[in-house]
Amino acid sequence: MAWDSSSFPEFNSDCSSLLRRYLSKQLFEQLQNKVTASGFTLAQAINSGVVNQDSNIGVYAGDAESYRLFDTLFEPIIFDYHGFSANDIHRSDLNQEHLSAPNPDPAGQFILSTRIRVGRNVADLPLGPAITREQRNLIESQVAASLRDLSGELAGTYYPLLGMDETVRNQLVADHFLFKAGDRFLDAAGLNRDWPEGRGIFHNREKTFLVWVNEEDQLRIISMQQGGDIEAVFSRLMTAVKEIEKSVAFMFDSRLGYLTSCPTNLGTAMRASVHIRLPQLATDMTAFKKITDAHQLQIRGIDGEHSESVSGIFDISNRRRLGVTEVECVQDMYNGVVALIKREKQLE
Ligand code: ADP
Ligand code: ARG
């Protein structure tokens, strides 16, 4: 759907995005003519949510300045999503010793795999929605060069998307290692410009440590493995993040934490998830959601966001990422998963 960005957008009656909730006509008119130093406008920030009326959120930032210039729109959305408030500040805890999350399923009956990722963007450059082709390509070459220096378990190879064999790419996506192509939410946010140039994936030989380059965020640093050893996955990720931070300066704000293109990822930018088989709970989604809501968890399908569950397998992850530490993000996921497994066993 194309829209005339000079006038207040129309929202469908069933549109329930945070954009629709917080963008009044008056606010639209106040912000309409503001432009950040990298040339990012309100129309660009809200395009994804206007074009995709089934958005949950509907806004993206083009740069660090977007969060300040358009704060009267971004802040209520951030507060609503994360349960964060104006007086809160971001807190970080990357110490793996502080996490207590022993494998909730040592027999391997429920948890298929565990994955934890953080988003990161490069300091002093625009975010993906406003970046230029040259800046994006520069990030790709600089990040690939830093990753080349990793050693031990983290050592691996960078594979650019440009020129990648389609069969190889499809297999990486199907195996849950690589991002999908053509996401319509990202597309409308300007995040798919010049695709596939500048994008790629780094991974170690075992594919337990991976870095996505120039997708929704400039880096998505990922640790994953089969089974439910959450502590091992977290520990590998924390080691990797600290290592990469030695050679790449990340965009960070003392109040909002790590800055990301989507406000849902601010703060820790962490999503800790398990793929978990819960066939009994799957038959009663109301009871299922009661548990996930109580633990502030999100339910996704088997192929990630905007996908469906298959054979009673779900992707369960922490929902809050700002105002909580990295350790707390994982703890949210862990506590909820323990509760889900307990309920599933009762229903068996
Ligand atoms: P993000 O995690 O970056 O928010 P997605 O929700 O699209 O993005 O997930 C990206 C990929 O990671 C998808 O293929 C998804 O199935 C996979 N994935 C997520 N969690 C797990 C997990 N615990 N085990 C295996 N694959 C996972
Ligand atoms: N823009 C999409 C929406 O509003 C996704 C939001 C959260 N997910 C993300 N990958 N940033 O529904």
Side-chain angles (χ1 to χ4, degrees):
M1 185 196 91
W3 62 290
D4 168 14
S5 60
S6 65
S7 52
F8 184 68
E10 274 181 38
F11 290 102
N12 300 338
S13 58
D14 60 352
C15 171
S16 59
S17 67
L18 296 185
L19 169 65
R20 183 187 184 199
R21 187 176 306 163
Y22 295 110
L23 184 71
S24 63
K25 186 159 187 287
Q26 189 192 13
L27 185 57
F28 177 86
E29 284 163 3
Q30 278 166 14
L31 299 179
Q32 184 175 26
N33 297 318
K34 293 186 189 271
V35 186
T36 69
S38 52
F40 199 69
T41 63
L42 177 73
Q44 287 171 288
I46 68 175
N47 191 59
S48 191
V50 175
V51 170
N52 299 292
Q53 298 255 332
D54 55 344
S55 290
N56 293 313
I57 316 297
V59 293
Y60 289 86
D63 41 34
E65 191 190 345
S66 301
Y67 283 108
R68 297 187 294 271
L69 195 65
F70 307 118
D71 62 345
T72 43
L73 174 62
F74 276 108
E75 298 260 307
I77 291 178
I78 292 167
F79 298 165
D80 190 313
Y81 182 85
H82 297 278
F84 193 72
S85 75
N87 300 323
D88 289 334
I89 53 158
H90 170 69
R91 295 173 298 124
S92 183
D93 184 359
L94 302 173
N95 188 341
Q96 45 258 55
E97 317 250 296
H98 295 168
L99 178 70
S100 173
N103 191 340
D105 177 35
Q109 209 187 329
F110 304 99
I111 301 178
L112 284 80
S113 52
T114 304
R115 173 182 184 269
I116 311 179
R117 60 86 164 154
V118 291
R120 291 288 185 271
N121 291 279
V122 177
D124 305 322
L125 281 173
L127 292 162
I131 205 160
T132 67
R133 182 178 174 187
E134 291 69 32
Q135 289 168 326
R136 191 189 305 108
N137 290 344
L138 184 72
I139 290 176
E140 181 191 35
S141 54
Q142 290 183 345
V143 169
S146 325
L147 295 173
R148 217 169 284 138
D149 291 337
L150 294 173
S151 57
E153 189 193 12
L154 304 180
T157 309
Y158 178 72
Y159 304 90
L161 231 57
L162 192 67
M164 186 184 282
D165 181 85
E166 263 306 276
T167 325
V168 172
R169 193 185 63 79
N170 285 329
Q171 194 60 51
L172 283 170
V173 175
D175 291 341
H176 308 290
F177 296 124
L178 179 62
F179 47 85
K180 291 176 260 190
D183 180 280
R184 64 188 160 90
F185 299 89
L186 299 186
D187 202 59
L191 278 156
N192 291 345
R193 289 170 298 129
D194 312 310
W195 184 279
E197 193 178 301
R199 281 80 176 183
I201 183 171
F202 172 94
H203 64 75
N204 66 358
R205 205 159 51 87
E206 299 74 25
K207 299 199 187 85
T208 53
F209 167 62
L210 310 95
V211 183
W212 293 357
V213 178
N214 286 322
E215 195 237 10
E216 179 176 328
D217 288 304
Q218 291 153 4
L219 290 90
R220 284 282 170 96
I221 308 172
I222 303 162
S223 168
M224 63 196 284
Q225 68 189 49
Q226 300 296 308
D229 192 342
I230 299 168
E231 289 177 354
V233 173
F234 184 70
S235 177
R236 183 188 303 112
L237 181 66
M238 292 303 101
T239 305
V241 167
K242 288 171 199 161
E243 227 18 75
I244 298 171
E245 207 154 33
K246 287 180 189 165
S247 57
V248 186
F250 295 135
M251 193 187 280
F252 184 82
D253 177 88
S254 57
R255 191 171 66 95
L256 297 177
Y258 290 99
L259 298 184
T260 51
S261 65
C262 176
T264 63
N265 283 316
L266 291 168
T268 59
M270 175 174 281
R271 191 169 86 87
S273 68
V274 289
H275 272 181
I276 184 166
R277 189 181 281 116
L278 300 167
Q280 303 299 327
L281 271 167
T283 63
D284 184 356
M285 287 312 287
T286 311
F288 196 148
K289 288 209 173 95
K290 220 169 138 184
I291 301 174
T292 52
D293 284 347
H295 291 276
Q296 314 228 46
L297 301 182
Q298 197 172 64
I299 308 175
R300 293 187 180 185
I302 196 69
D303 292 314
E305 195 171 29
H306 309 118
S307 75
E308 297 301 320
S309 157
V310 175
S311 317
I313 302 169
F314 299 86
D315 169 333
I316 303 295
S317 61
N318 62 298
R319 209 179 92 87
R320 307 180 291 171
R321 315 191 209 289
L322 172 65
V324 280
T325 67
E326 288 78 3
V327 168
E328 287 165 343
C329 286
V330 182
Q331 210 72 60
D332 273 357
M333 186 272 276
Y334 172 78
N335 294 341
V337 165
V338 168
L340 286 168
I341 291 177
K342 187 171 167 213
R343 186 74 191 122
E344 180 72 16
K345 281 183 174 164
Q346 288 166 349
L347 293 171
E348 268 174 359

